[in-house]
Amino acid sequence: MADLSELPPEPRRGFLPIHTNGFDRVFIAVVLFVAIHLFWMRFLEASVPLSVGTVLSVIVGAVVIARG
């Protein structure tokens, strides 16, 4: 029976279609944060406040950093 400490670590699998490290995921989250805010200010700010867009952006960023 093989010792589990001798097995190579399984590569991290996320939903992003590219190989990323922590910095890459943070960068993608920041770009998405800016993009969501620009979209929100252009199309939705008249009916829904920007703070809702900020909360949505933070949630999306946290998911990308944690699971991307």
Side-chain angles (χ1 to χ4, degrees), residues 47-64:
S47 59
V48 184
L50 187 59
S51 59
V52 177
T54 301
V55 170
L56 179 67
S57 297
V58 168
I59 292 170
V60 169
V63 169
V64 167

Side-chain angles (χ1 to χ4, degrees), residues 14-61:
F15 62 86
L16 293 173
I18 57 175
H19 177 71
T20 59
N21 59 22
F23 177 79
D24 295 333
R25 291 188 302 271
V26 169
F27 181 77
I28 291 168
V30 169
V31 169
L32 285 173
F33 187 87
V34 171
I36 289 171
H37 273 81
L38 290 174
F39 176 83
W40 203 274
M41 288 188 292
R42 174 62 178 99
F43 295 109
L44 300 173
E45 192 174 21
S47 59
V48 184
L50 187 59
S51 59
V52 177
T54 301
V55 170
L56 179 67
S57 297
V58 168
I59 292 170
V60 169

